[in-house]
Amino acid sequence: MSERKMQAEEQEKEQEKRNGENAEIRETGSLELGRPDERSGIELLTIIGEIEGHETVSGNTKATKYEHLLPRLAQAEEDEKIRGVLILLNTLGGDVEAGLAIAEMIASLSKPTVSLVLGGSHSIGGPLAVSADYSFIVPTGTMIVHPVRTNGMFIGVIQSYRNMEKTQDRIARFIADHSRITQERLLELMLDSTQLVKDVGTMLEGEEAVREGLIDEVGGISQAFAKLHEMMEERR
């Protein structure tokens, strides 16, 4: 076989690989890092835009579909080649039940997990950010915590309010159990009426989120990779 033909075949294989990876990112927001012959053992997951639940969001809205993420997380748990999971977040929140389902799945993985908040991780993005074993936030990143909201008409006001209270307690309890903030302090931040113009709640920037105990450390992608590799080596 001529050298030119071999090079053409190699280029064709490389293009097919890139096309497959691009399709995987486009469809599921996930990727196994490294070359096929030398995988790093890290599964990359992205949680971007709105968390889509049982109802499809607007076609113009970027969304993370929980029915895509849950199978990938289950696969990461069972795949022996995957030794760690890195989660990148930039979300305004979305469906509470879907967000909690993803957060519980991440928290229950036996593989080391690291999350990195880029841009923001608001509302139900809070439980997702803290669900990893270790969490980072970039200096300009933000987290917004606020009470549970709902749209539409209430048939039974008292019953609906109680259900919302229970849901809010579930979220606060999960965050407190997976971070250094207390549930009492978190509820104080949720009910602060002095910060947000059209709502109650609190916006925390990078350093503030770490001081409050929501996030473990301020850092970027290199720090997140370094921590994950460290945890993977310790687990090995």
Side-chain angles (χ1 to χ4, degrees), residues 76-92:
E77 175 66 22
E78 281 293 288
D79 192 338
E80 294 181 356
K81 298 191 302 294
I82 296 175
R83 298 166 44 227
V85 179
L86 176 63
I87 305 109
L88 305 181
L89 298 112
N90 189 2
T91 175
L92 295 176

Side-chain angles (χ1 to χ4, degrees), residues 189-210:
L189 296 174
M190 282 182 170
L191 300 175
D192 191 335
S193 60
T194 65
Q195 287 207 31
L196 305 182
V197 175
K198 296 182 179 180
D199 196 4
V200 293
T202 301
M203 183 176 77
L204 301 168
E205 294 185 10
E207 290 283 359
E208 295 172 312
V210 174

Side-chain angles (χ1 to χ4, degrees), residues 60-168:
N60 296 324
T61 303
K62 287 187 179 294
T64 294
K65 301 176 185 295
Y66 83 113
E67 69 268 26
H68 286 172
L69 276 187
L70 295 184
R72 292 311 299 249
L73 288 165
Q75 182 185 39
E77 175 66 22
E78 281 293 288
D79 192 338
E80 294 181 356
K81 298 191 302 294
I82 296 175
R83 298 166 44 227
V85 179
L86 176 63
I87 305 109
L88 305 181
L89 298 112
N90 189 2
T91 175
L92 295 176
D95 188 280
V96 170
E97 299 297 336
L100 280 177
I102 299 170
E104 289 282 11
M105 194 78 163
I106 294 171
S108 64
L109 290 175
S110 65
K111 312 286 178 75
T113 54
V114 169
S115 65
L116 172 59
V117 176
L118 301 161
S121 192
H122 303 168
S123 191
I124 198 61
L128 290 165
V130 306
S131 62
D133 297 324
Y134 201 87
S135 56
F136 287 91
I137 186 171
V138 294
T140 57
T142 58
M143 298 187 73
I144 292 179
V145 293
H146 61 72
V148 172
R149 293 182 292 230
T150 189
N151 297 320
M153 181 177 66
F154 289 130
I155 301 300
V157 176
I158 296 177
Q159 295 89 334
S160 298
Y161 177 74
R162 286 174 181 163
N163 286 335
M164 289 174 63
E165 265 195 327
K166 288 181 179 179
T167 300
Q168 185 169 296

